[in-house]
Amino acid sequence: MIGLPSEPGAVVLHIEDNPSNRKVVRHILRSTSYYLLEAVDGEAGLAMAREEKPDLVLLDMQLPGMSGYEVAAALKADSSTRGITVIAVTASALSGDDARVLDAGCDDYLAKPFRPNDLRQRLADHLPDSPE
Ligand code: MN
């Protein structure tokens, strides 16, 4: 990267324990104006969300220790983080998962596996983007 963007993009916090999945999202977001933060588990992700106040959290629901469901509930229970958009990334599109993530407080969801454009579109649904 050379220099700073003239207009800072929206901040996306990706909470995901799988390094390969983090790498995929990192790669996809390179072609956007989003600024990416990463956390490797629920506890670290929740702490980072409280500290950095990202515009959006992309949340893996299958996390070791604190689950994505617990992270979403904690974010929505706290007035200082309630306004952060939470997109759940679910391991399957099994019937019932969708309702479950929305019940946990997530604003939207994306089923794995997803295509790069699926993720970009889902983010664009919630955030302003200005691709270069
Ligand atoms: Mn996981």
Side-chain angles (χ1 to χ4, degrees), residues 32-101:
T32 71
S33 65
Y34 303 126
Y35 184 82
L36 179 65
L37 300 172
E38 298 180 354
V40 302
D41 62 35
E43 289 83 354
L46 187 56
M48 192 175 280
R50 287 175 170 154
E51 180 75 20
E52 303 292 340
K53 302 290 194 301
D55 297 287
L56 183 148
V57 170
L58 190 61
L59 179 62
D60 176 32
M61 301 312 276
Q62 277 71 42
L63 294 167
M66 189 178 198
S67 75
Y69 297 92
E70 293 171 303
V71 173
L75 288 172
K76 296 301 179 178
D78 182 337
S79 60
S80 74
T81 52
R82 189 171 296 153
I84 299 171
T85 299
V86 179
I87 299 181
V89 181
T90 55
S92 72
L94 289 178
S95 169
D97 268 17
D98 301 350
R100 202 176 156 215
V101 299

Side-chain angles (χ1 to χ4, degrees), residues 15-18 21 60-64 112:
I15 306 177
E16 163 68 81
D17 58 305
N18 183 306
N21 292 345
D60 176 32
M61 301 312 276
Q62 277 71 42
L63 294 167
K112 292 181 194 173

Side-chain angles (χ1 to χ4, degrees), residues 95-117:
S95 169
D97 268 17
D98 301 350
R100 202 176 156 215
V101 299
L102 297 176
D103 282 350
C106 298
D107 299 282
D108 206 347
Y109 53 86
L110 183 64
K112 292 181 194 173
F114 53 79
R115 295 175 188 172
N117 275 341

